[in-house]
Amino acid sequence: MAEGKWDAIVIGGGHNGLTCASYLARAGQRVLVLERRPLLGGATVSEEIYPGFTFSSCSYVVSLLRPWIMRELDLPAHGLEILPLEATFTPFPDGGYLLRDGDAERTRRAIARFSPRDAEVYSEFGRVMGELGRLIKPVIDRPAPDPASLDPRELLDMARLGRTFLDRGFDWLAAEYKMLTMSAVDLLSEWFESEALIAPMSVSGIIGTFLGVRSPGTAYVLLHHYMGEIDGAFRAWGLAKGGTGMVAEALASAARGLGAEIRTEASVERILVSGGRVTGIVLENGDELRARRVISAVDPHRTFLGLVGEGHLDPEFAGQVKRFKLRGSSGKVNLALDGLPEFSCLPGEGIHLRGDITIAPSVDYLEQAYDDAKYGRFSRRPFMDIVIPSLTDPSVAPPGKHVMSIFVQYAPYHLAEGPEAWPSQREAFGDAVIDTLAEYMPGLEDRILHRHVLTPWDLEKTYGLTEGNIFHGELSLEQLAFQRPVAGWAHYKTPLRNLWLCASGTHPGGGIMGAPGALCARAVLGQRGSAA
Amino acid sequence: MPLPSPFHLRIEKLCTSFRWKDWAGYHAVSSFDHSHEREYVAFRQAAGVIDVSPLYKYEVRGRDAGRFLSQVMARDITRLGVGRVTYCCWCDDEGKVVDDGTVTRWGEEHYRVTAAEPSLRWFEQGMQGQDVTIEDSSQRIAALALQGPRSRAVLADCSDAPLDRLEFFRATTARLDGVEVGITRTGYTGDLGYEIWIDAHDALAVWDAVIDAGRAHGLEPAGLDALDMTRIEAGFLMLDVDYYSAPREVLESRKSTPFELGLGWTVHLERDPFVGQAALVAEQRRGVAWNLVGLEADWQELEALYERYGMPVSLPAAASRDALPIYRGSEQVGRATSHMWSPLLKKQIALASLRAEAAVAGTDLAIEHTVEFERCRVAVKVVKMPFFDPLRKRQP
């Protein structure tokens, strides 16, 4: 195909870029995806950093990938297999532990060791959260309704959503309102008395944000977790076989099958703007590619302040983009292990190693981890979310060996010494993670064959996540829905004609969801309404 | 009361769920833990091992063994070379299927037949005057099915079997932890996999060696619930679920010919006489009345249906054997006999017996689906089987 014949150029071969490209190609558009790295996926990537061991370097759990995208693009036929995570395990420093799994009675008994009351309430809480999640689920499968809009269809969308709640009665509205305003710990404390339960449950409210578990607004993020669980009924929650990169590979295979072209090691230097209109892009090697429209799957900062350039933006809009908070708060440590590590509180192999392992022993522990971050230090004793994918998926490690993925919070991008100090603190950060873990898993150090430490600085430099923010912008309330990324520009369109946004910096936000990509494609194609 | 299988001493310790069922008079595990999910995932991602000793096994020996088997089977067994396995079914005089299983030719004059139901008397009826003996080896021979993408690696680590040369549906003998065993590259999961045939006295030693070798490969002991899901994905039939054994049925409508079960590919018609030949020849000339096919449900419709009741879609995690009517318009054209949500394919799938005119791939039909105690219908499409057929199954 001759250059300049593209209907759309998608910048960035992450999962949203690839989803968007697939949907556009499916509608008959001529689409080109440009990825800077040799590997597709962006932060949804599998990398063999140490021979024989495949790491899900960045994102590691698939929970919110929209089931309709999986079906419409037939991702299982393109190699996507989701393996379940079986349990949530929380070890405590005093030698105790809490293990929750799919066996309701076993879980009830486990919680009852801490509080018989909580054990009874636990399933009820799950039901209420599930119902709340179901009520707001349509929100993430549709473009965000914009209350400031004069478009009657927008108002209709709003009304429909409001109606859902009114139909359920005032109590549900009140409950949802609480979700939007409370802290995760406050919400959980309304239900539970045992910190052994409250602490590990509260962390779903802070993952990827620069907030603490006692910060207002974090209750809402908890809900996302439960939405994942609803779809979990269709086994959509878990690990991708071969690492999360397989999500990107499956999407890429679908996109290619639908006629999209994908180029790797094709770094875009800037977006061509002429008279307020986007006409194409310039690659780092100087090649100019023209297209009817350019769709950016990189974050709003990088798109507008980097690729477009402030000079082409309305100053008011540029200011709003600058105020869109990214400030990454987490890092990642990936380990290649010589054998399976053991917890001193529950030695041996078992179901507890086959799920989420949460290092969140108390609310104060989590708040203290946040305190470090507030003052520009990484947490000396961080919150960690750990999975060992090789137990369920032996294809990611040599026989008998294992990979361990450790999500670590907090690791503030803005260190007191400035972000550029990260490379000199990388190993100290890695040590803090291993030292903390070794308190629960004695002998862990001796099993480590290779340690791959990713600080927010690395997430920015290697994976293109500005300020190391894993969600392309914080998932805080003021940056969600019609405010994401900028009020009035939440429908994937931008003030520059022919420039669109399709990734996590737009509604409904981050995580391996695919919804921004698919909804953007719908918007580009002029289709309205629910994508599902 | 069911008997313990030769592996029972090991298996009972692992079956923490106490979820047992009776399989051909033996204690068999439904799932080792509260859910079969891990075992199912192991079959598809790593490896699973399941005790299949309750299968009926018959050693057919003698100069006329091959000729005799060809007379009772719908398949021409005289064509089966030594070291090969074949899948086949056998019929009554009316051409209606009695049972199905595998035949392995272990030696010039030695075959082993597996069956779901006791079949000794049925086979013996056709023996007269031939140099052939049949031994019911069901209790003497224990069997393990080792299935999944890592099954070859597990077997390589505990046996001297020439696995690189052992093609799909071939058999070999080997030493496994010092024990002489038979290994066939066969199974009921439609995946890379092996079945290990063991003298019952050696069963525990073999179990220990396989489990030990499996540790590095994610091997899980698996039960029948997980096996049931994998066999539906593979499009394999189950006796008393997807069809019935003709001699045990009174109703004609419950009996099926191999052609009606989609097993026409296993039937060799033009050869020396065999049981049911005339009826099958006549049926082939006439055309079949029924066909067993795969169905795939329309997810959008399923979701919309549940949404009408204010619910998210909720489907059982295990396969179901409750037969469901299948409709074209208002007319019932058949029944789905096995159905399940496939976590692997992310689809609701079913095996169904349909009137031939409705059994054409691509045909749009509807399946009954009960939501909140109300019987509804959901669109399904006739699709090609197997639902899941990985390359590794046949790869060298």
Side-chain angles (χ1 to χ4, degrees):
Chain A
M1 186 177 301
E3 302 287 23
K5 293 283 186 181
W6 305 106
D7 289 317
I9 287 177
V10 177
I11 305 174
H15 76 282
N16 275 311
L18 294 168
T19 303
C20 187
S22 299
Y23 275 95
L24 292 178
R26 200 167 83 133
Q29 301 248 313
R30 291 152 305 173
V31 186
L32 172 66
V33 180
L34 299 171
E35 167 57 39
R36 178 177 55 92
R37 300 191 71 208
L39 283 168
L40 289 171
T44 311
V45 69
S46 303
E47 294 178 279
E48 191 178 328
I49 289 180
Y50 184 69
F53 294 82
T54 303
F55 293 134
S56 293
S57 310
C58 303
S59 59
Y60 54 101
V61 174
V62 183
S63 69
L64 285 168
L65 181 58
R66 309 317 301 143
W68 47 270
I69 294 178
M70 230 185 285
R71 273 190 305 279
E72 287 174 357
L73 300 179
D74 204 2
L75 299 184
H78 290 283
L80 179 64
E81 296 178 30
I82 307 283
L83 318 179
L85 284 166
E86 292 188 37
T88 305
F89 177 61
T90 314
F92 299 111
D94 65 1
Y97 64 85
L98 175 61
L99 177 61
R100 293 174 280 152
D101 69 67
D103 183 336
E105 281 306 307
R106 197 154 61 194
T107 298
R108 192 183 56 73
R109 288 194 301 272
I111 298 172
R113 298 211 320 251
F114 296 92
S115 158
R117 247 194 85 252
D118 287 359
E120 283 181 32
V121 174
Y122 186 71
S123 60
E124 194 187 330
F125 177 77
R127 208 165 51 240
V128 169
M129 291 296 276
E131 183 61 10
L132 282 171
R134 199 179 70 80
L135 292 182
I136 68 156
K137 207 174 88 139
V139 176
I140 64 172
D141 287 335
R142 298 168 146 267
D146 188 347
S149 165
L150 293 176
D151 185 337
R153 289 174 306 187
E154 288 284 335
L155 299 174
L156 205 67
D157 275 354
M158 287 286 284
R160 198 178 296 127
L161 195 63
R163 184 74 204 219
T164 314
F165 285 99
L166 291 175
D167 284 352
R168 300 299 303 228
F170 182 74
D171 289 352
W172 285 95
L173 190 62
E176 199 80 66
Y177 184 72
K178 274 187 175 176
M179 294 296 311
L180 292 177
T181 51
M182 287 178 97
S183 79
V185 165
D186 283 348
L187 176 85
L188 290 164
S189 300
E190 287 197 347
W191 289 80
F192 304 109
E193 59 188 15
S194 170
E195 220 175 313
L197 197 55
I198 294 171
M201 288 177 81
S202 70
V203 295
S204 309
I206 56 162
I207 286 184
T209 73
F210 202 96
L211 294 168
V213 288
R214 291 197 181 110
S215 309
T218 48
Y220 171 76
V221 188
L222 268 181
L223 200 53
H224 272 267
H225 179 79
Y226 278 87
M227 281 193 287
E229 286 198 355
I230 303 173
D231 290 331
F234 323 125
R235 312 293 189 282
W237 185 70
L239 305 165
K241 182 197 171 118
T244 48
M246 291 306 289
V247 176
E249 289 302 324
L251 283 165
S253 163
R256 287 195 191 100
L258 292 163
E261 183 181 335
I262 300 172
R263 292 188 200 162
T264 53
E265 296 180 272
S267 181
V268 175
E269 194 180 75
R270 69 197 160 84
I271 293 170
L272 289 169
V273 186
S274 141
R277 233 173 227 278
V278 164
T279 56
I281 59 97
V282 185
L283 288 173
E284 229 164 40
N285 66 10
D287 287 358
E288 280 190 27
L289 302 179
R290 304 275 163 178
R292 283 175 56 206
R293 57 181 78 88
V294 171
I295 301 171
S296 172
V298 302
D299 65 65
H301 270 224
R302 188 165 296 246
T303 304
F304 293 112
L305 308 176
L307 297 174
V308 170
E310 230 183 304
H312 292 291
L313 299 172
D314 168 65
E316 167 65 21
F317 181 80
Q320 282 180 312
V321 169
K322 283 189 204 161
R323 285 192 292 277
F324 184 69
K325 293 193 297 274
L326 286 109
R327 51 174 201 183
S329 60
S330 56
K332 189 81 192 296
V333 175
N334 299 305
L335 301 179
L337 298 174
D338 196 19
L340 205 55
E342 278 194 319
F343 278 92
S344 52
C345 63
L346 189 54
E349 199 183 321
I351 189 173
H352 63 295
L353 300 178
R354 293 172 166 271
D356 245 348
I357 301 165
T358 308
I359 304 296
S362 71
V363 172
D364 281 350
Y365 176 101
L366 296 169
E367 276 295 304
Q368 277 154 11
Y370 181 42
D371 285 345
D372 279 329
K374 280 189 280 190
Y375 305 109
R377 297 186 301 264
F378 60 80
S379 307
R380 303 297 130 167
R381 290 160 148 271
F383 151 60
M384 288 179 257
D385 188 51
I386 303 165
V387 291
I388 310 174
S390 46
L391 266 175
T392 318
D393 174 13
S395 73
V396 295
K401 316 274 189 227
H402 291 281
V403 294
M404 186 187 260
S405 153
I406 310 167
F407 172 85
V408 190
Q409 194 161 326
Y410 298 82
Y413 176 78
H414 294 287
L415 285 174
E417 300 82 359
E420 52 292 332
W422 263 116
S424 66
Q425 295 194 29
R426 185 185 295 121
E427 294 313 312
F429 171 64
D431 290 344
V433 168
I434 302 303
D435 291 349
T436 307
L437 256 190
E439 290 172 21
Y440 301 88
M441 302 177 130
L444 174 67
E445 296 102 317
D446 305 333
R447 293 201 174 279
I448 299 174
L449 297 170
H450 183 79
R451 182 171 100 174
H452 176 226
V453 181
L454 290 174
T455 69
W457 179 262
D458 303 313
L459 293 176
E460 177 176 80
K461 298 300 168 225
T462 309
Y463 301 96
L465 298 167
T466 302
E467 296 190 21
N469 190 298
I470 60 174
F471 294 143
H472 287 199
E474 205 160 86
L475 285 187
S476 49
L477 278 176
E478 76 279 13
Q479 301 200 151
L480 288 177
F482 60 88
Q483 306 257 56
R484 192 172 185 87
V486 167
W489 297 103
H491 282 183
Y492 315 99
K493 242 183 208 163
T494 71
L496 291 170
R497 250 187 112 169
N498 304 332
L499 178 64
W500 300 70
L501 295 179
C502 77
S504 298
T506 61
H507 176 80
I512 306 177
M513 199 161 8
L519 293 175
C520 172
R522 293 214 144 210
V524 167
L525 297 167
Q527 301 163 343
R528 279 193 52 86
S530 171
Chain B
M1 201 180 75
L3 297 170
S5 100
F7 301 103
H8 191 80
L9 286 175
R10 294 292 184 271
I11 288 174
E12 67 171 345
K13 289 197 182 67
L14 298 170
C15 186
T16 55
S17 67
F18 294 93
R19 297 191 64 234
W20 297 89
K21 68 200 243 183
D22 182 332
W23 176 14
Y26 287 89
H27 287 295
V29 175
S30 294
S31 68
F32 283 86
D33 202 350
H34 69 102
S35 147
H36 57 279
E37 192 169 19
R38 184 193 309 164
E39 299 159 29
Y40 165 80
V41 170
F43 270 142
R44 291 298 184 221
Q45 309 299 340
V49 62
I50 180 167
D51 174 9
V52 291
S53 305
L55 279 174
Y56 288 91
K57 285 146 283 187
Y58 301 95
E59 310 302 310
V60 181
R61 294 190 175 88
R63 207 157 28 84
D64 298 329
R67 194 158 60 108
F68 156 72
L69 283 171
S70 297
Q71 287 163 2
V72 288
M73 301 287 178
R75 190 164 199 149
D76 185 357
I77 303 298
T78 56
R79 300 185 196 175
L80 188 69
V82 175
R84 288 172 185 254
V85 192
T86 191
Y87 171 74
C88 55
C89 62
W90 46 103
C91 304
D92 65 9
D93 284 332
E94 271 71 55
K96 305 288 183 168
V97 178
V98 176
D99 201 340
D100 67 312
T102 58
V103 178
T104 305
R105 188 169 184 188
W106 288 104
E108 275 302 325
E109 300 184 359
H110 176 202
Y111 297 80
R112 179 176 300 140
V113 181
T114 64
E117 293 279 346
S119 308
L120 187 63
R121 191 194 64 95
W122 187 264
F123 290 145
E124 278 178 347
Q125 282 174 341
M127 279 172 60
Q128 298 92 331
Q130 302 192 66
D131 178 9
V132 59
T133 62
I134 303 182
E135 174 209 359
D136 181 346
S137 55
S138 303
Q139 294 197 43
R140 185 172 67 73
I141 294 173
L144 287 180
L146 174 63
Q147 306 278 303
R150 284 288 175 126
S151 56
R152 185 184 300 186
V154 174
L155 211 45
D157 283 356
C158 63
S159 79
D160 65 358
L163 298 172
D164 291 339
R165 298 197 307 270
L166 190 66
E167 291 170 34
F168 190 50
F169 267 76
R170 298 293 170 96
T172 184
T173 53
R175 295 191 79 77
L176 198 159
D177 197 40
V179 175
E180 183 87 14
V181 298
I183 294 174
T184 52
R185 187 165 161 185
T186 50
Y188 204 41
T189 63
D191 210 313
L192 175 65
Y194 303 87
E195 286 170 304
I196 311 171
W197 310 92
I198 312 147
D199 189 305
H201 293 111
D202 298 323
L204 296 181
V206 169
W207 174 271
D208 292 342
V210 169
I211 293 292
D212 213 40
R215 244 177 271 281
H217 300 286
L219 176 72
E220 292 284 336
L224 292 171
D225 285 0
L227 186 69
D228 205 23
M229 292 176 73
T230 53
R231 70 100 190 164
I232 295 172
E233 288 171 344
F236 292 149
L237 309 186
M238 183 161 231
L239 182 62
D240 282 338
V241 175
D242 302 301
Y243 77 99
Y244 298 92
S245 178
R248 293 177 179 82
E249 291 301 324
V250 179
L251 289 177
E252 271 312 305
S253 60
R254 281 213 167 192
K255 303 177 182 179
S256 314
T257 67
F259 297 112
E260 290 175 335
L261 296 179
L263 299 180
W265 60 277
T266 70
V267 180
H268 294 142
L269 280 181
E270 283 160 37
R271 58 186 175 95
D272 290 344
F274 65 94
V275 183
Q277 188 180 33
L280 291 175
V281 168
E283 186 193 33
Q284 207 196 29
R285 203 170 301 134
R286 200 171 54 235
V288 286
W290 290 84
N291 228 324
L292 200 139
V293 298
L295 298 178
E296 223 176 83
D298 182 317
W299 188 262
Q300 238 99 312
E301 213 170 277
L302 203 58
E303 214 163 42
L305 174 61
Y306 276 85
E307 193 52 46
R308 282 217 303 273
Y309 292 84
M311 294 163 69
V313 178
S314 101
L315 300 169
S320 169
R321 297 166 175 190
D322 296 331
L324 295 172
I326 304 292
Y327 299 93
R328 181 158 66 181
S330 57
E331 175 203 12
Q332 186 176 342
V333 291
R335 71 241 172 210
T337 47
S338 295
H339 44 102
M340 65 178 271
W341 160 252
S342 165
L344 184 74
L345 307 167
K346 301 268 178 287
K347 282 172 181 163
Q348 176 77 6
I349 56 175
L351 302 181
S353 276
L354 303 180
R355 290 187 192 285
E357 65 274 14
V360 182
T363 308
D364 291 309
L365 302 167
I367 191 169
E368 184 178 292
H369 192 92
T370 301
V371 188
E372 277 304 283
F373 320 106
E374 289 185 21
R375 289 181 179 180
C376 310
R377 287 181 194 183
V378 170
V380 287
K381 205 181 254 317
V382 178
V383 295
K384 282 215 177 77
M385 286 208 288
F387 300 102
F388 178 65
D389 191 16
L391 272 179
R392 60 186 180 240
K393 180 176 85 179
R394 289 166 186 277
Q395 256 165 1

